[in-house]
Amino acid sequence: MERGLLWLPLLGLFGWLAWAGWNEYQKVEAYRQWANQFERAKYDIYAVLGQRGDQLVWGKPTRQAPIELQSVTLDQIDRISLTIGGQPVVPFGLPQADEAPNSPTATPSKGQIAIQFSLTSGEQHSIPFTDRALAEQWYRFLAPRVVVR
């Protein structure tokens, strides 16, 4: 009986892991269906992002479908930057701007990588990333398409 009680927490852990895996699988499947309408799309635990023509759409992933969707056109974006830990950085391989320091080589903490942009209306938005390389790819794709005013 004592041995059975020792295995009970382990059984609970396996049950929780199975539920967590199923939950994440449902989010990824909902994202796949949502992403079919876009030319480029990204998924991670913080946000989903899609690009179709000159329109960007982003929101939070859930098991049913992405929620809290927001969208802008590239014409509405006044300024765009890649930030790590709240500090703007220039991805390797891009010419450096005077106001942005070179990319730090240290790995940032979870949730501190984002593409931030300001709209011509004065609104500011941030799209979080978990993977620095993916954030840099999106920045390299978007930055040349934003008309600097």
Side-chain angles (χ1 to χ4, degrees), residues 86-129:
Q87 299 297 316
V89 297
V90 175
F92 294 114
L94 290 180
Q96 291 191 25
D98 292 335
E99 70 278 354
N102 195 8
S103 291
T105 57
T107 304
S109 300
K110 188 167 114 176
Q112 292 190 343
I113 305 168
I115 291 182
Q116 295 183 339
F117 50 90
S118 302
L119 302 182
T120 53
S121 65
E123 292 180 59
Q124 294 201 0
H125 296 281
S126 179
I127 302 171
F129 286 76

Side-chain angles (χ1 to χ4, degrees), residues 29-83:
E29 286 302 310
Y31 159 76
R32 279 192 193 149
Q33 291 176 356
W34 176 80
N36 284 336
Q37 61 186 317
F38 297 103
E39 297 166 16
R40 291 175 56 102
K42 78 103 177 172
Y43 169 87
D44 67 29
I45 61 174
Y46 294 125
V48 293
L49 171 63
Q51 175 265 325
R52 176 182 48 234
D54 70 340
Q55 184 179 28
L56 288 179
V57 179
W58 70 96
K60 293 183 181 179
T62 66
R63 290 189 300 183
Q64 290 75 29
I67 60 170
E68 299 178 21
L69 293 176
Q70 299 178 356
S71 68
V72 297
T73 61
L74 296 177
D75 298 345
Q76 294 174 305
I77 299 175
D78 188 35
R79 181 176 209 131
I80 188 168
S81 64
L82 176 65
T83 62

